Amino acid sequence: MYATERQESIALALEAAGRVSVSQLAADFDVTAETVRRDLDALEFAGILRRVHGGAVAASRGSVTEVAIGERRSERHAAKSAIVDAAMRMLPPTFRGSVLLDAGTTTALLAERIAAWSPSNGHQLTVITNSMQNLVALDKNPHLDLHLVGGRLRGLTGALVGTSTVAQLEALRPDIAFLGTNGISAGFGLSTPDELEGAVKSAMVKSARRAVVLADGAKLDQEALVRFAALDEIDTLVTDEVPGPELLEALTLADVEVLYA
């Protein structure tokens, strides 16, 4: 196989999986690891991928790459919907307490489900969020006691962020915080591209009695620029795919409960 043919195949593999490894490509093409690295260098120069330890990821998965929330709503919708179904089992009609909702596409779906939540004995569920989108989805349910954590609006994600947002969260102690993440990995933990959102997410994790992360398979073994929590700071991961061996072992060592949608 010519180099150009290998590189076309690598580009197709990246498009399908989002990540490739040097060792696997070397085995697939029956070439040396050094040959694969040269192919990856050529593809990186062409702007098709980004080299990472042990392989490469699609160029669109840079550590500061972030797509507007409106453009992400339809991505992996079935997976996110299944994750939300699993998360809602933590909020039965008998649940009495408070919930903190992060901004994001999966938590937005969760907000839509909570908008239909009804208690078994007439009490209210306290819901706190830093997302205007979540607030709009929730405000028609009379069984919800809604609280908006204020701050500066970050248009890309619709999140309210800033030092005042963090200060408000530090004064709260919700029963469950449901958070999204751009990446979760064994070595780096949970991460997001933006420093201000990272600070807010970190405050949410620290404030909650139970921190629950909702992450579809595309977020597993990924790293963004800013770490907002170590694995041992979260309690539960709800996902639709089994994490890779390294991440799964790290989650086990950190005593993180993994729920599969």
Side-chain angles (χ1 to χ4, degrees):
M1 182 180 286
Y2 293 109
T4 53
E5 293 175 308
R6 278 197 313 272
Q7 290 164 20
E8 287 174 2
S9 296
I10 292 170
L12 289 172
L14 268 174
E15 185 178 345
R19 185 183 184 100
V20 293
S21 74
V22 170
S23 58
Q24 187 60 55
L25 290 173
D28 290 345
F29 296 128
D30 193 23
V31 296
T32 66
E34 188 56 39
T35 297
V36 171
R37 292 189 184 98
R38 285 196 296 269
D39 289 335
L40 296 181
D41 286 340
L43 289 167
E44 184 172 45
F45 184 79
I48 294 170
L49 57 76
R50 179 172 57 89
R51 294 290 303 276
V52 296
H53 179 71
V57 296
S60 60
R61 294 196 178 187
S63 64
V64 296
T65 300
E66 196 169 12
V67 179
I69 191 168
E71 298 177 41
R72 289 187 283 120
R73 284 197 185 110
S74 61
E75 291 181 358
R76 296 181 63 89
H77 186 272
K80 292 174 182 178
S81 183
I83 288 168
V84 167
D85 286 342
M88 281 301 295
R89 291 197 284 271
M90 302 178 201
L91 300 175
T94 55
F95 182 84
R96 300 192 68 163
S98 52
V99 171
L100 177 59
L101 285 183
D102 184 20
T105 54
T106 309
T107 48
L109 279 177
L110 181 60
E112 291 175 8
R113 302 290 176 83
I114 294 175
W117 183 89
S118 181
S120 58
N121 54 3
H123 60 268
Q124 284 193 316
L125 172 66
T126 298
V127 182
I128 308 154
T129 186
N130 70 321
S131 164
M132 292 296 296
Q133 179 183 357
N134 289 349
L135 189 72
V136 170
L138 294 163
D139 72 352
K140 298 294 191 296
N141 188 337
H143 302 296
L144 304 180
D145 177 24
L146 297 180
H147 298 259
L148 180 66
V149 178
R152 179 175 68 80
L153 180 64
R154 185 167 183 256
L156 195 65
T157 59
L160 293 164
V161 297
T163 55
S164 64
T165 313
V166 171
Q168 291 169 73
L169 290 166
E170 289 175 343
L172 299 174
R173 189 68 164 151
D175 293 299
I176 306 176
F178 291 103
L179 303 101
T181 185
N182 294 76
I184 177 170
S185 71
F188 197 55
L190 296 105
S191 54
T192 189
D194 183 74
E195 183 179 5
L196 292 176
E197 279 208 51
V200 169
K201 289 175 181 288
S202 181
M204 288 181 170
V205 170
K206 290 179 172 61
S207 71
R209 299 178 190 276
R210 181 183 184 187
V212 178
V213 175
L214 311 179
D216 63 77
K219 312 296 173 50
L220 305 180
D221 292 309
Q222 300 300 318
E223 296 174 355
L225 181 63
V226 180
R227 177 171 58 191
F228 65 85
L231 293 181
D232 61 8
E233 292 181 283
I234 66 171
D235 299 287
T236 304
L237 168 66
V238 187
T239 185
D240 63 310
E241 294 183 12
V242 178
E246 184 182 8
L247 177 55
L248 189 59
E249 181 181 8
L251 290 165
T252 302
L253 291 174
D255 198 26
V256 177
E257 176 188 27
V258 182
L259 299 179
Y260 296 104

